[in-house]
Amino acid sequence: MKTSVPAVAVWGRTAPSHSITAVMITDDQQTIVTGSQEGQICLWDLSSDLKISSKEILFGHTASVTCLAKARE
């Protein structure tokens, strides 16, 4: 059985200046996390109507972020 998944853009009318290399969505499906080739990690709010808005940007990595994983409690 195939399920349909709507496409979602993680930016507005123009693409971000960084290259997204990793994507993760939280278990509650309210936050998208992206990693970039430039070493940034971005947090995005995802509303129930699939509108995405930027939440936070984290700096400090000196290499590309190529993998994202959730930590256990």
Side-chain angles (χ1 to χ4, degrees):
M1 178 170 106
K2 290 186 177 183
T3 55
S4 147
V5 178
V8 177
V10 293
W11 51 81
R13 295 178 187 264
T14 57
S17 60
H18 60 276
S19 302
I20 294 174
T21 53
V23 177
M24 182 184 79
I25 189 165
T26 57
D27 290 338
D28 63 6
Q29 298 182 354
Q30 294 181 359
T31 304
I32 295 174
V33 183
T34 60
S36 75
Q37 186 173 359
E38 294 77 17
Q40 301 163 345
I41 295 176
C42 300
L43 304 178
W44 308 84
D45 282 325
L46 177 60
S47 68
S48 59
D49 59 346
L50 299 180
K51 291 189 179 179
I52 297 173
S53 58
S54 60
K55 184 175 180 179
E56 292 182 53
I57 188 166
L58 309 171
F59 297 93
H61 289 85
T62 57
S64 296
V65 176
T66 58
C67 181
L68 295 165
K70 152 181 107 157
R72 295 183 187 174
E73 292 183 16

